[in-house]
Amino acid sequence: MPPTLILVRHAEALHNVDNKSHLTQCGSLREHFFKTEVPNKYQVSLIIVSPMRRTIETALLSFGNYAKEHNIPIIANAGWQENSDKPCDTGSSIEDLSKEFPEVDFSRVDQVWPEKNRNSEKAKKYWYTKESIMQRGEDVLKEIEAKVWPEMEDGKAVVAVSHSGFLRAGVTGWWFNNADYRIFEFEEREVKEGRPTLKQITGVKGGMGESFETPAGLGGDLPEAAVGGLSVGLP
């Protein structure tokens, strides 16, 4: 049985508006999450983070103490990074991040990281195109569904701290406000081909009740192709 999947958008970051509400949002998320039935009903066995400072900080500030107390590993995974190749969505070196965040396991981060250059074939998985982002979303879901890591214990939950664009357009088709979360279960299927289907078990406004309730739809306005170094949408 696949783990329950708890998806979290990072708290406010400098590129969103400012960083003044970052600590407050993480505190609100932490207080809300651990006062609900979530930790008991969906026991977490693994925390996955996009290897970006804003997602790592959100994970540590919101779940760090709980992870330490319950010996829950926090693992960085490049598959959960944000969509675009803007400077704010392109990460730092693993060498730098490892020194800054020793609590996080960076040993399994794709060696391509943080490359997202659309002229680099080896980085195609991380290009800002609809094909690449939709495939990456399918890939990370299959990893959870198949429990590819031993840290994913049967019958428990996985928390993934990621980004608005990727969670919305590449994974779920739902909006995520800063520091809000949504909980999903995998639909049972015998043949593990194609994209897994998720069933949301939180309210349509998210666990914190602060996200847009209208579905955005998978794919959204993602560019169909990258032309001349610029991502463009084709008619």
Side-chain angles (χ1 to χ4, degrees), residues 41-76:
K41 187 175 181 179
Y42 309 105
Q43 295 181 359
V44 177
S45 64
L46 174 65
I47 298 172
I48 299 173
V49 293
S50 160
M52 302 287 289
R53 285 186 173 86
R54 58 186 181 270
T55 44
I56 296 170
E57 289 174 350
T58 298
L60 293 177
L61 289 170
S62 303
F63 308 112
N65 288 337
Y66 183 82
K68 186 175 181 180
E69 291 171 5
H70 294 82
N71 198 30
I72 300 169
I74 303 175
I75 297 176

Side-chain angles (χ1 to χ4, degrees), residues 103-119:
E103 308 96 321
V104 178
D105 178 359
F106 294 95
S107 66
R108 285 170 274 192
V109 175
D110 189 342
Q111 293 184 357
V112 173
W113 174 270
E115 181 63 68
K116 302 179 82 168
N117 190 326
R118 285 161 286 179
N119 296 317

Side-chain angles (χ1 to χ4, degrees), residues 6 11 13 26-27 43 54 69 83 89 97 106-107 113 123 129 138 143 198 202 213:
I6 303 174
C26 289
Q43 295 181 359
R54 58 186 181 270
E69 291 171 5
N83 294 342
D89 291 330
L97 292 172
F106 294 95
S107 66
W113 174 270
T129 65
E138 180 178 317
E143 288 178 344
L198 296 177
T202 38
E213 61 184 307

